[in-house]
Amino acid sequence: MSGQPVPCSPREIGSLFLFEKLAPEQLGRLCREGRVELFQPGPVYTEGDPATCFYVMLEGTVVLSRRVGGDDVEVSRTSQRGVYAGAMQAYLGDRVRQAYNNSMRVTEPTRFFVLPADVFAEIMSEWFPMATHLLEGLFFGSKSTQAAIGQRERLLALGSLSAGLTHELNNPAAAAVRATSTLRERVAKMRRKLAVIAEGPFSRDALASLIEIQERTAERVAKAPALSPLEASDREDALGDWLEDHGIDHGWQLAPTFVQAGLDVDWLEQVAAAVDAEILPGAVGWLNYTVETELLMSEIEDSTTRISHLVDAAKQYSQLDRAPYRVVDVHELLDSTLLMLSGKIGPHIEVVKAYDPALPQVPGYPAELNQVWTNLIDNAVCAMNGAGGQGTLTVRTALDGEQALVEFRDTGPGVPPEIRSRIFDPFFTTKPVGQGTGLGLDISWRIVVNKHHGTLRVESEPGDTRFQVLLPLTAATPEERSALTNPEETA
């Protein structure tokens, strides 16, 4: 939007703090190559449009806003003379995308000194060559440093996750290996026991009954109820006594296996009624191998299922084979991250999930949201570890107006008020040397605020620290997703 041209006074623009040190001839050039424009209430420029001009306010009131989903959210309002906005990085040329990073409007007739972006870049290079080089070095150096350390931050997180995942995978994998080895031994013993039974004086009807009992036993193992320690102990005693009364040696060794399989004295009575007394010990021994075999196969199934779930969680966390931008279930992302971090969280920190089942899906970049969850959970765990290694991590979701709320609450010592305003600054960390880069919260802030047009805030007091992520429920346009993701550049 263009304003109404009005006369440019070198003396007036020289009174602004931005230009107060310029020589008269420099002020004259600014007036010749720039212009003063009067804007009526309304928009001046729009976020995402090509940054063609650098604006310095002479008088009036400006409002800066950022696009959040389909809405414009006000981020700054001022009437201070000399504030500037617009093409502030024009001196970088085509090395960066020259687009407005915010929208600006005025609420009353407002005059601006307007300098075309190419003129601003030329003047910066000509009048302040050293300053321009320093600014370029600062801009690109800072980006390179943040990128390098951000990569290290991700590698550290990946290393931590890999260690945790390896630990989580090792337990079920080792259990499956042990169960498989034991199963091979039991099957071999079952074959030998079957050979003994086949050579014995057993009638066809007795063998048929024994096989029928074996089938029913296998079915009962699959449906074994969970018993309390006291119930299991009482049932073991009863089974041990029954086995001893019926002349079966080492009954006290068989009883725990039968109890684990959900078998009781009534089941043994059915076995005794189905076979002759002289073959009862052999039949019980053979059925014991059947029970052990079924239990071992269940253990292998549970272990391999656990491994499969961990692999699925790893794929969900890393978002392999998934579109980078899509509508996602926040709860699935949170669950996969918590599972990946379970080794680091440890057994002494209780995790409470307070999910809102009515929370709708959210459009976004799931792999990067998982990175946000990782950083916030890691900070919460570190805070509680520093306070004795115990506490409660509560992950809560809710609908907050037109946004999805994801909250991470820990019972650590809290964030001191004097540093609360700095925790999202790059390279600021309270962790010991070697344990933090100071980019975790900065990266999280950029992902949430810049890339998802959301909000990241913190509320903290001793024993109750809450990091809250607010994400819009409406999808960003392709133009918004491709726009620059730097914070507002105004002064």
Side-chain angles (χ1 to χ4, degrees), residues 421-479:
S421 62
R422 303 171 55 200
I423 60 174
F424 296 112
D425 292 349
F427 311 114
F428 179 79
T429 181
T430 58
K431 296 179 183 178
V433 175
Q435 295 187 19
T437 61
L439 281 180
L441 289 178
D442 173 61
I443 291 172
S444 300
W445 192 91
R446 291 174 180 273
I447 290 173
V448 173
V449 177
N450 293 332
K451 200 150 191 178
H452 290 83
H453 300 291
T455 302
L456 177 57
R457 64 194 183 200
V458 61
E459 299 175 359
S460 183
E461 59 184 47
D464 186 3
T465 297
R466 307 182 185 207
F467 280 88
Q468 297 177 328
V469 177
L470 291 164
L471 298 170
L473 300 177
T474 54
T477 65
E479 291 76 16

Side-chain angles (χ1 to χ4, degrees), residues 102-314:
N102 50 50
S103 296
M104 184 167 70
R105 61 186 175 88
V106 297
T107 58
E108 61 178 322
T110 301
R111 287 189 306 125
F112 289 98
F113 172 69
V114 183
L115 196 61
D118 56 346
V119 175
F120 176 51
E122 181 182 343
I123 285 177
M124 283 288 293
S125 298
E126 183 179 333
W127 290 355
F128 314 107
M130 183 175 179
T132 301
H133 288 306
L134 289 173
L135 287 172
E136 290 176 351
L138 179 64
F139 179 83
F140 290 111
S142 177
K143 291 191 68 174
S144 298
T145 300
Q146 289 191 19
I149 299 185
Q151 181 67 20
R152 180 177 180 271
E153 183 89 7
R154 287 187 287 272
L155 289 173
L156 287 172
L158 180 60
S160 177
L161 289 172
S162 298
L165 181 60
T166 301
H167 174 75
E168 292 295 320
L169 285 170
N170 182 66
N171 291 334
V177 170
R178 288 194 304 269
T180 302
S181 177
T182 306
L183 178 62
R184 182 177 289 109
E185 295 177 6
R186 295 298 181 270
V187 171
K189 290 181 178 180
M190 181 181 287
R191 288 197 302 266
R192 291 194 292 270
K193 180 68 72 173
L194 182 61
V196 172
I197 292 175
E199 294 173 356
F202 304 132
S203 66
R204 181 184 298 272
D205 291 340
L207 288 175
S209 297
L210 195 57
I211 292 173
E212 192 267 335
I213 291 174
Q214 182 187 37
E215 293 297 326
R216 287 192 284 116
T217 301
E219 292 177 0
R220 292 193 63 164
V221 173
K223 302 175 182 178
L227 301 176
S228 68
L230 182 59
E231 290 173 330
S233 178
D234 291 343
R235 187 172 291 188
E236 286 178 16
D237 291 341
L239 286 174
D241 292 343
W242 189 96
L243 293 169
E244 182 179 352
D245 292 343
H246 287 75
I248 298 174
D249 297 333
H250 307 295
W252 59 273
Q253 291 180 322
L254 302 179
T257 302
F258 288 159
V259 170
Q260 185 181 358
L263 307 179
D264 52 19
V265 171
D266 291 340
W267 172 80
L268 289 176
E269 291 288 356
Q270 295 176 26
V271 175
V275 300
D276 296 334
E278 66 270 15
I279 68 171
L280 180 61
V284 170
W286 187 47
L287 292 175
N288 176 62
Y289 291 138
T290 299
V291 169
E292 287 186 332
T293 300
E294 290 295 323
L295 290 174
L296 288 168
M297 287 191 293
S298 296
E299 184 177 349
I300 293 171
E301 181 182 17
D302 291 343
S303 298
T304 53
T305 300
R306 171 69 174 168
I307 292 172
S308 178
H309 287 166
L310 286 167
V311 172
D312 287 342

Side-chain angles (χ1 to χ4, degrees), residues 23-156:
E25 58 272 16
Q26 291 175 315
L27 296 173
R29 180 179 176 183
L30 288 178
C31 271
R32 289 194 307 272
E33 301 192 33
R35 59 188 183 273
V36 174
E37 293 185 6
L38 174 64
F39 287 81
Q40 297 302 319
V44 177
Y45 62 74
T46 303
E47 179 182 349
D49 288 347
T52 58
C53 294
F54 176 67
Y55 295 85
V56 185
M57 191 180 75
L58 295 169
E59 62 177 351
T61 301
V62 299
V63 176
L64 298 177
S65 62
R66 287 292 299 271
R67 189 175 297 121
V68 179
D71 302 322
D72 282 335
V73 178
E74 181 177 326
V75 295
S76 177
R77 180 185 294 253
T78 182
S79 299
Q80 181 183 351
R81 294 183 73 246
V83 295
Y84 50 89
M88 292 177 54
Q89 293 178 347
Y91 64 90
L92 297 173
D94 57 8
R95 286 173 290 179
V96 299
R97 183 173 178 267
Q98 297 292 340
Y100 292 121
N101 296 326
N102 50 50
S103 296
M104 184 167 70
R105 61 186 175 88
V106 297
T107 58
E108 61 178 322
T110 301
R111 287 189 306 125
F112 289 98
F113 172 69
V114 183
L115 196 61
D118 56 346
V119 175
F120 176 51
E122 181 182 343
I123 285 177
M124 283 288 293
S125 298
E126 183 179 333
W127 290 355
F128 314 107
M130 183 175 179
T132 301
H133 288 306
L134 289 173
L135 287 172
E136 290 176 351
L138 179 64
F139 179 83
F140 290 111
S142 177
K143 291 191 68 174
S144 298
T145 300
Q146 289 191 19
I149 299 185
Q151 181 67 20
R152 180 177 180 271
E153 183 89 7
R154 287 187 287 272
L155 289 173
L156 287 172

